């Protein structure tokens, strides 16, 4: 077999060449192509093609290959239900040097079994999970989007050998063994992608690569912000109650939420700082088994608004103040309790605070269920 080498410029990709390469892959051929990390070998998800890839790589047939997609939107075709942390991570990291192993529920697996051809399902889903990568390389994206069939793409090297980071290295090892090499020059990072596994218990790094553990944690952290007027009663109660029910949902301790990648804060539009939660709010939360005695208020800022993924306000005027700080926040800000909001109990007897806590509790439970955490 003669291996054809096609020189491509990432800034001006020849459509005909990429179309030919994709047709080769769809027809069962093997095509090496560049990514931002290392060169990969594109192979359609079909038994004979995968067996040939196993033989080329020197791998056993039980090896789990990673699905490669040309656009991050394609992930929804393979993972029906993507959690908040997973969605935050892929929105920040894709396209990019990150491979994500998604854990799937039994229900999601059955849905995929019904949607995909049997051999595709059995090849991609193992141990109730699927590994997916979305490369940040124009040539890779073009090839993967042109391919009609699902494509896996392990690194273009023999098992145990260093990954190839340019086309010359690929050709030296694969000449006569694969149909084509798309030569896109040297890879940007010249290092493997970071591999993470994500499920209900959070994100776990399986293989260190371009992204560090700290970068992965930062990109996947989900931030919630609760806003009222003075940040001494309603929003600190909401913050404490949300922490309690989120921890219950995740079957963890409240103190572990930060480590699991959930940041929960509150603030007030009045702009004051350092004042503790009101005694009435503390008592109302204590009745729910929640301790907010360490709370100190803080003023709402543009930085807090921008950094938050979900913002829940107590009243409509709080929503207006939030959007005034950042117009883009309109897409992530809403009343905690629709449609009327939660009135301010300040200056009223304890029973109003107790009632306020119950309203907040019901609203928080509803929100957590809606978020699909």
């Amino acid at each position: 077999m003669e291996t054809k080498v096609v020189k491509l410029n990432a800034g001006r990709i020849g459509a005909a060449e990429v179309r030919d390469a994709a047709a080769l892959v769809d027809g069962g051929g093997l095509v090496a192509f560049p990514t931002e990390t290392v060169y990969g070998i594109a192979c359609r998800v079909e038994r004979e093609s995968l067996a040939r890839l196993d033989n080329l790589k020197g791998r056993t047939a039980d090896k789990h290959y990673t699905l490669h997609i040309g656009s991050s939107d394609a992930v929804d075709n393979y993972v029906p239900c993507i959690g908040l942390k997973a969605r935050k991570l892929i929105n920040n990291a894709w396209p990019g040097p990150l491979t994500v192993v998604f854990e799937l529920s039994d229900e999601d697996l059955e849905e995929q079994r019904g949607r995909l051809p049997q051999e595709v399902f059995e090849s991609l889903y193992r141990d109730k999970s699927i590994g997916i990568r979305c490369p940040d390389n124009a040539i890779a994206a073009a090839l993967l989007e042109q391919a009609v069939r699902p494509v896996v793409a392990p690194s273009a090297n023999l098992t145990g050998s260093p990954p190839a980071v340019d086309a010359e290295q690929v050709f030296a090892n694969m000449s006569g063994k694969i149909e084509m090499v798309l030569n896109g020059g040297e890879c940007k990072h010249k290092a493997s992608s970071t591999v993470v596994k994500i499920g209900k218990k959070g994100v776990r790094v399986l293989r260190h690569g371009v992204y560090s553990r700290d970068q992965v944690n930062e990109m996947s952290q989900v931030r919630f912000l609760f806003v009222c007027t003075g940040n001494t009663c309603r929003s600190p109660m909401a913050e404490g109650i949300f922490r309690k029910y989120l921890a219950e949902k995740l079957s963890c301790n409240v103190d572990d939420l930060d480590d699991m990648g959930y940041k929960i804060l509150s603030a007030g539009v009045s702009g004051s700082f350092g004042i503790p939660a009101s005694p009435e709010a503390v008592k109302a939360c204590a009745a729910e088994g929640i301790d907010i005695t360490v709370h100190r208020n803080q003023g709402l800022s543009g930085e807090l608004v921008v950094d938050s993924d979900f913002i829940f306000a107590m009243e409509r005027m709080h929503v207006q103040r939030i959007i005034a700080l950042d117009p883009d926040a309109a897409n992530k800000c809403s009343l905690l309790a629709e449609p009327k909001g939660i009135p301010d109990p300040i200056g009223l007897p304890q029973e109003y605070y107790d009632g306020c806590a119950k309203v907040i509790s019901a609203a928080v439970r509803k929100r957590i269920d809606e978020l699909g955490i």
Side-chain angles (χ1 to χ4, degrees), residues 125-139:
Y125 297 87
R126 298 190 183 181
D127 301 322
K128 296 185 177 182
S129 66
I130 180 173
I132 303 180
R133 167 129 151 75
C134 181
D136 185 18
N137 178 283
I139 295 171

Side-chain angles (χ1 to χ4, degrees), residues 33 39 134 155 209 214 219 257 283 298 333 353 365 367:
F33 66 99
Y39 271 71
C134 181
S155 55
D214 287 345
M219 288 188 292
L257 289 173
K283 187 175 180 180
Q298 65 173 336
C333 175
Y353 285 82
R365 286 179 180 273
R367 290 296 187 179

Side-chain angles (χ1 to χ4, degrees), residues 67-294:
L67 175 72
H68 280 54
I69 55 178
S71 166
S72 60
D73 294 339
V75 68
D76 295 299
N77 296 328
Y78 300 94
V79 185
C81 184
I82 299 178
L84 286 182
K85 285 181 62 61
R87 185 68 70 181
K88 178 78 179 287
L89 180 60
I90 63 179
N91 284 347
N92 282 329
W94 279 0
L98 183 76
T99 298
V100 181
V101 179
F102 296 90
E103 293 180 347
L104 277 74
S105 67
D106 291 339
E107 293 78 10
D108 286 346
L109 283 170
E110 284 307 305
E111 180 177 338
Q112 291 306 102
R113 188 188 298 275
R115 291 177 59 183
L116 298 171
Q118 182 178 351
E119 64 178 343
V120 172
F121 176 83
E122 292 177 351
S123 297
L124 293 179
Y125 297 87
R126 298 190 183 181
D127 301 322
K128 296 185 177 182
S129 66
I130 180 173
I132 303 180
R133 167 129 151 75
C134 181
D136 185 18
N137 178 283
I139 295 171
L143 173 65
L144 295 168
E145 289 183 338
Q146 283 284 337
V148 175
R149 302 190 180 197
V151 173
V152 296
S155 55
N157 61 289
L158 303 179
T159 299
S161 301
V165 297
D166 60 41
E168 289 73 21
Q169 293 175 4
V170 176
F171 190 78
N173 292 317
M174 303 289 174
S175 178
K177 301 175 183 178
I178 62 177
E179 277 73 11
M180 181 179 288
V181 177
L182 295 179
N183 182 354
E186 279 192 338
C187 298
K188 177 181 177 181
H189 295 294
K190 303 181 185 65
S192 297
S193 66
T194 300
V195 180
V196 302
K197 190 170 188 178
I198 190 161
K200 289 185 177 180
K201 293 298 183 181
V203 180
R204 181 161 57 99
V205 176
L206 301 181
R207 183 184 74 189
H208 294 280
V210 175
Y211 286 133
S212 68
R213 183 187 302 274
D214 287 345
Q215 286 175 307
V216 169
N217 290 340
E218 177 66 22
M219 288 188 292
S220 63
Q221 186 180 69
V222 181
R223 299 176 176 91
F224 299 94
L225 179 65
F226 296 89
V227 178
C228 70
T229 303
N231 191 217
T232 58
C233 54
R234 287 172 293 175
S235 59
M237 284 195 290
E239 178 186 345
I241 291 168
F242 191 88
R243 285 182 180 277
K244 177 187 177 182
Y245 291 136
L246 180 58
E248 289 179 359
K249 187 80 171 181
L250 298 172
S251 301
C252 71
N253 295 322
V254 170
D255 293 339
D256 294 333
L257 289 173
D258 281 1
D259 290 338
M260 292 187 67
Y262 295 96
K263 192 78 171 177
I264 303 146
L265 300 169
S266 62
V269 298
S270 68
S272 59
F273 289 85
I275 302 172
S278 70
E280 296 86 355
V282 171
K283 187 175 180 180
C285 278
E288 302 281 335
I290 300 165
D291 183 2
I292 61 170
T293 56
V294 299

Side-chain angles (χ1 to χ4, degrees), residues 295-354:
H295 173 79
R296 296 297 181 269
N297 79 333
Q298 65 173 336
L300 183 68
S301 67
E303 183 179 2
L304 277 174
V305 172
V306 170
D307 287 346
S308 298
D309 298 297
F310 297 92
I311 306 174
F312 297 112
M314 302 301 125
E315 297 180 58
R316 189 67 61 188
M317 71 98 159
H318 301 139
V319 173
Q320 294 168 352
R321 293 287 292 275
I322 291 163
I323 296 173
L325 286 171
D326 176 23
D328 291 337
N331 297 321
K332 58 183 179 180
C333 175
S334 61
L335 289 176
L336 176 61
E338 298 279 7
K340 296 182 179 180
I342 303 172
D344 195 343
I346 192 167
L348 297 173
Q350 181 65 47
E351 62 201 64
Y352 286 88
Y353 285 82
D354 296 341

